[in-house]
């Protein structure tokens, strides 16, 4: 994909002024992705997430249902504040192993993380790359973004949680025994990582450009690990493949916009802020995400979202919609990769059917919540 984008630029299909504007908009976002990846990888290496899951197992008091509720809460917080990829890559293996060790069927916990990774990503700009792109268009602070999206974000958490409980309530009954506790190798790294997150999370919603606190946190942790555990620092922790894919997608979709994509999609996207208009755009976004991927779907339809409400409806479509096809969201592919490493197999047929039901139920309710939550009659 990166080669395709570079070829478009070299051949003149992507005009240099358009590329310059695209780079000015997206380079800070990609830098933020790199910084946050480094932060979450090093925090994980310091065993902070393991300590959190140990605490969840204790707080569950032996109740499988209560344990699952804590997993829901952890998935929401990780997605909202650290991004959907963090939930897919780091939270998934820990909660699946927690279920395995407690002799609970792991599938409900695995589906909880992947569904919440996508559907809980409406709350804050940092939750999803699409949100960061939209925030630039909306010119909203993180709190302003949350005020716009709080109602559909709540639907994106509550409806999937209810559907998961209805599907797996038999597996979520009963009790579990006491679990082994992970002993961190370096308590100084553990405390420093926890302190870094405690400072970073409010900074990400303070209105400061998110790349600044993320980069400072990454530099601090890298310096600390260089001193105490240099072997943990490796080039492979950088998200090379997602970065190349994302940069290539940006360039290819911008090339298509330069050659009439906006005009071609305008009749299907419609106009207006009425409830049917917003639902139409959200459904188109969800369908496009499942055919291709949520990022190109957002980029392709962004010019058709000419108001804050329409942009919010598009985000609902491309964030809540990618529960059906495996490739609709990069987070889903990363999630599946982690499950394979744990020898947990997922039947894609069942995944697609369950995801389709969730999207059909949650997406219209989220659009309705957006419409009602922003003062529409």
């Amino acid at each position: 994909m990166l080669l395709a984008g570079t070829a478009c630029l070299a051949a003149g299909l992507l005009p240099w002024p358009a590329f310059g504007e695209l780079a000015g908009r997206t380079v800070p976002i990609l830098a933020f992705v790199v910084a946050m990846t480094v932060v979450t990888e090093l925090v994980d290496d310091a065993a902070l997430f393991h300590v959190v899951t140990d605490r969840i197992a204790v707080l569950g008091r032996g109740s499988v249902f209560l344990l699952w509720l804590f997993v829901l809460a952890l998935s929401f917080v990780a997605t909202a504040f650290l991004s959907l990829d963090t939930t897919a890559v780091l939270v998934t293996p820990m909660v699946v192993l927690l279920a395995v060790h407690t002799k609970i069927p792991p599938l409900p916990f695995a589906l909880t993380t992947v569904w919440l990774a996508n559907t809980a990503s409406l709350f804050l700009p940092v939750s999803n790359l699409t949100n960061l792109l939209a925030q630039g268009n909306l010119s909203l602070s993180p709190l302003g973004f949350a005020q716009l999206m709080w109602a559909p974000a709540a639907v994106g958490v509550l409806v999937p949680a209810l559907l998961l409980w209805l599907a797996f309530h038999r597996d979520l009954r009963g009790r579990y025994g006491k679990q082994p506790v992970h002993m961190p190798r370096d308590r100084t790294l553990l405390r420093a990582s926890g302190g870094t997150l405690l400072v970073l999370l409010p900074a990400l919603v303070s209105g400061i450009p998110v790349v600044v606190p993320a980069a400072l946190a990454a530099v601090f942790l890298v310096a600390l690990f260089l001193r105490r555990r240099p072997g943990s620092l490796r080039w492979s922790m950088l998200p090379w493949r997602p970065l190349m894919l994302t940069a290539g997608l940006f360039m290819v979709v911008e090339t298509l916009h330069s050659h009439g994509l906006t005009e071609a999609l305008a009749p299907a996207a419609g106009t207006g802020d009425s409830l049917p208009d917003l639902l139409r755009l959200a459904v188109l976004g969800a369908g496009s995400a499942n055919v291709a991927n949520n990022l190109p779907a957002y980029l392709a339809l962004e010019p058709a979202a000419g108001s804050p409400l329409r942009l919010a409806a598009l985000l609902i479509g491309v964030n809540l919609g990618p529960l059906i096809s495996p490739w609709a969201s990069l987070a889903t592919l990363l999630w599946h990769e982690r499950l394979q490493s744990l020898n947990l197999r997922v039947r894609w047929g069942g995944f697609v059917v369950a995801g389709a039901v969730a999207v059909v139920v949650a997406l219209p309710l989220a659009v309705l919540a957006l419409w009602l939550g922003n003062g529409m009659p």
Side-chain angles (χ1 to χ4, degrees), residues 20 23 92 143 195 207 245 250 298 367:
T92 294
L143 293 181
L245 172 65
F250 283 149
Y298 172 83
V367 174

Side-chain angles (χ1 to χ4, degrees), residues 3-370:
L3 289 174
T6 304
C8 290
L9 182 63
L13 297 174
L14 175 58
W16 278 96
F19 173 72
E21 184 178 342
L22 176 70
R25 181 186 180 195
T26 58
V27 166
I29 293 175
L30 295 178
F32 167 76
V33 171
V34 172
M36 283 302 296
T37 301
V38 171
V39 169
T40 53
E41 289 283 349
L42 293 179
V43 166
D44 180 53
D45 194 87
L48 181 62
F49 289 116
H50 286 291
V51 170
V52 171
T53 52
D54 288 344
R55 177 57 55 182
I56 285 175
V58 173
L59 293 175
R61 298 179 179 273
S63 167
V64 174
F65 178 70
L66 187 56
L67 179 66
W68 175 70
L69 289 180
F70 279 118
V71 169
L72 272 172
L74 175 62
S75 299
F76 166 70
V77 171
T79 300
F81 290 95
L82 298 175
S83 87
L84 72 171
D85 293 341
T86 297
T87 302
V89 173
L90 298 179
V91 175
T92 294
M94 285 183 293
V95 300
V96 167
L97 288 175
L98 177 62
V100 170
H101 292 156
T102 52
K103 295 181 172 55
I104 302 169
L107 185 59
F109 288 75
L111 278 180
T112 296
T113 58
V114 72
W115 276 18
L116 268 291
N118 288 287
T119 64
S121 66
L122 283 170
F123 188 59
L124 290 171
V126 296
S127 308
N128 200 326
L129 191 58
T130 55
N131 298 2
L132 288 171
L133 291 167
Q135 184 191 17
N137 277 350
L138 293 167
S139 299
L140 290 175
S141 68
L143 293 181
F145 185 94
Q147 288 176 343
L148 175 65
M149 300 301 296
W150 73 268
V155 171
V157 174
L158 296 176
V159 172
L162 177 60
L163 293 175
L164 286 165
W165 180 80
L166 290 173
F168 295 107
H169 62 277
R170 289 187 179 88
D171 293 330
L172 297 175
R173 295 173 179 172
R175 310 286 298 175
Y176 63 90
K178 187 177 180 180
Q179 295 307 299
V181 176
H182 292 88
M183 299 302 295
R185 289 186 290 164
D186 190 325
R187 291 194 174 274
T188 298
L189 284 179
L190 177 65
R191 295 191 194 97
S193 298
T196 300
L197 280 189
L198 287 176
V199 174
L200 176 61
L201 297 187
L204 291 176
V205 297
S206 66
I208 302 170
V210 291
V211 67
V212 175
L216 290 174
V219 169
F220 170 74
L221 288 177
V222 167
L224 186 62
F225 271 79
L226 272 174
R227 180 177 179 181
R228 300 190 66 88
R229 198 186 295 170
S232 295
L233 299 174
R234 56 200 184 279
W235 289 109
S236 61
M237 75 169 56
L238 297 177
W240 298 111
R241 290 192 299 172
L243 281 177
M244 290 188 290
L245 172 65
T246 303
L249 284 171
F250 283 149
M251 297 170 72
V252 168
V253 176
E254 187 63 33
T255 300
L256 294 174
H257 277 308
S258 299
H259 294 273
L261 180 63
T262 302
E263 293 75 12
L265 292 175
T271 58
D273 288 347
S274 68
L275 180 59
D277 288 326
L278 297 178
L279 184 59
R280 177 181 179 179
L281 182 57
V283 169
L284 182 60
S288 302
N290 282 289
V291 170
N293 177 270
N294 63 340
L295 184 57
Y298 172 83
L299 293 171
L301 292 167
E302 185 185 58
S307 70
L309 276 183
R310 286 183 62 79
L311 202 56
L314 176 57
L315 287 177
I316 290 171
V318 299
N319 287 19
L320 287 186
L323 295 182
I324 303 173
S325 65
W327 54 82
S329 166
L330 178 62
T332 303
L333 295 175
L334 295 171
W335 168 82
H336 183 250
E337 189 176 80
R338 289 302 168 107
L339 292 188
Q340 284 186 311
S341 69
L342 297 171
N343 292 317
L344 180 60
R345 299 289 178 254
V346 174
R347 292 183 296 176
W348 284 119
F351 181 91
V352 168
V353 171
V357 171
V359 171
V360 167
V361 175
L363 190 142
L365 290 176
V367 174
L368 178 62
L370 170 72

